Amino acid sequence: MTGTEEVEEKKDDTEVDQEKEKKDEECGAEEHKDKFNPSAYLDCFYKTASEDTAMQIVLFFLPGILYRLPEKVNTVLDLGAGPTVYLPIALRLRAQNIYTSDYAPANRETLISWCENRQTFFQVNVHESPVIQSVVWKENPSIEVPQKFQVVSTVFCLEYSCESLDAYFRAVRSACSLIEDGGFLIQGGVLGATTYNFGGKSFRCHCLKQSHIVESLKANGMATTTEQGYKFITHDDIFLLFSKKL
């Protein structure tokens, strides 16, 4: 081995060590508005069907959850959709009106670019009142956005929108306030997580427990037993639930 090769080898080792020392930028839950990168998010979690375990589990169990809805649904709100459209696609043949929403402006722009001339998108904040802050884009300007919806879906949103139990309860209360009487909630997320990472950023979140979910649903008049219309599915700390507003 020549001296040149030795120098080059040591340089490579140093570069590896430097890479290991790099840390993701820490971000608070409220920083989703300005620091969320839709392209990095989609590349990390949705690049292929097998790219992310959490999404595999959600998409595997989602048809069974949607099966519990009425055959025809009038209004659906995808609350905190991020830059994704899998829920509207899954419900496209069952729902008459689908509304998609997100807190981060970059996500709303991504949704519009994906679904131009198909759906309605608006700004939401589950920690503010009213939850629906403003309408960003409409397919048909004459259509009025309802105050309540027959179905509200919220996946990987509520626990990631906050960092404390009180804030989580507030987020659930806001989500449930958007459901009409007798309507339905579809909720999905991760139990026990304190952060999630992608694109060089680490976003803090509330460490969610199943007891938090049940308590918050009860407090907002939602079903928490099978007899009432409640279903909870969990696998590897990923959960999906179906609940009816009593």
Side-chain angles (χ1 to χ4, degrees), residues 31-244:
E31 293 183 277
H32 280 92
K33 183 174 184 179
D34 300 314
K35 294 189 176 182
F36 194 95
N37 184 326
S39 297
Y41 179 81
L42 292 170
D43 188 62
C44 185
F45 298 117
Y46 295 86
K47 190 174 182 179
T48 69
S50 61
E51 196 73 16
D52 180 68
T53 301
M55 278 312 307
Q56 289 182 55
I57 294 171
V58 166
L59 294 178
F60 179 81
F61 288 111
L62 186 59
I65 290 291
L66 298 182
Y67 177 78
R68 295 172 177 273
L69 291 172
E71 185 176 344
K72 292 297 180 181
V73 175
N74 184 28
T75 55
V76 174
L77 169 63
D78 195 3
L79 181 63
T84 71
V85 293
Y86 62 87
L87 202 289
I89 289 174
L91 285 172
R92 69 193 184 281
L93 300 179
R94 301 182 68 177
Q96 184 175 353
N97 299 285
I98 300 176
Y99 303 86
T100 304
S101 63
D102 198 74
Y103 175 62
N107 285 339
R108 298 195 299 270
E109 287 300 320
T110 300
L111 290 169
I112 292 172
S113 70
W114 279 22
C115 298
E116 193 75 40
N117 299 322
R118 285 179 55 190
Q119 309 295 351
T120 300
F121 303 98
F122 40 87
Q123 178 186 1
V124 294
N125 185 341
V126 292
H127 299 285
E128 298 290 342
S129 182
V131 180
I132 298 175
Q133 302 278 293
S134 63
V135 176
V136 177
W137 183 86
K138 282 186 176 185
E139 177 186 8
N140 184 343
S142 66
I143 294 177
E144 292 295 326
V145 177
Q147 294 184 341
K148 293 181 181 290
F149 304 82
Q150 188 176 358
V151 178
V152 169
S153 67
T154 180
V155 180
F156 301 131
C157 172
L158 300 184
E159 69 272 25
Y160 289 121
S161 73
C162 56
E163 300 176 41
S164 69
L165 181 58
D166 285 345
Y168 175 76
F169 284 162
R170 181 169 62 248
V172 175
R173 182 169 64 249
S174 293
C176 293
S177 74
L178 296 170
I179 305 172
E180 63 185 40
D181 291 344
F184 307 94
L185 172 69
I186 297 170
Q187 183 181 345
V190 182
L191 298 172
T194 56
T195 64
Y196 76 110
N197 308 62
F198 69 93
K201 292 182 173 58
S202 177
F203 288 92
R204 296 189 299 271
C205 64
H206 169 57
C207 186
L208 186 61
K209 298 180 180 180
Q210 188 171 346
S211 60
H212 300 163
I213 297 171
V214 174
E215 184 179 349
S216 62
L217 292 177
K218 281 184 177 179
N220 289 282
M222 302 298 299
T224 56
T225 66
T226 302
E227 294 74 21
Q228 293 174 328
Y230 178 70
K231 178 68 175 179
F232 188 89
I233 301 171
T234 183
H235 181 77
D236 288 345
D237 291 328
I238 312 302
F239 75 89
L240 270 177
L241 70 83
F242 179 89
S243 182
K244 183 176 181 179

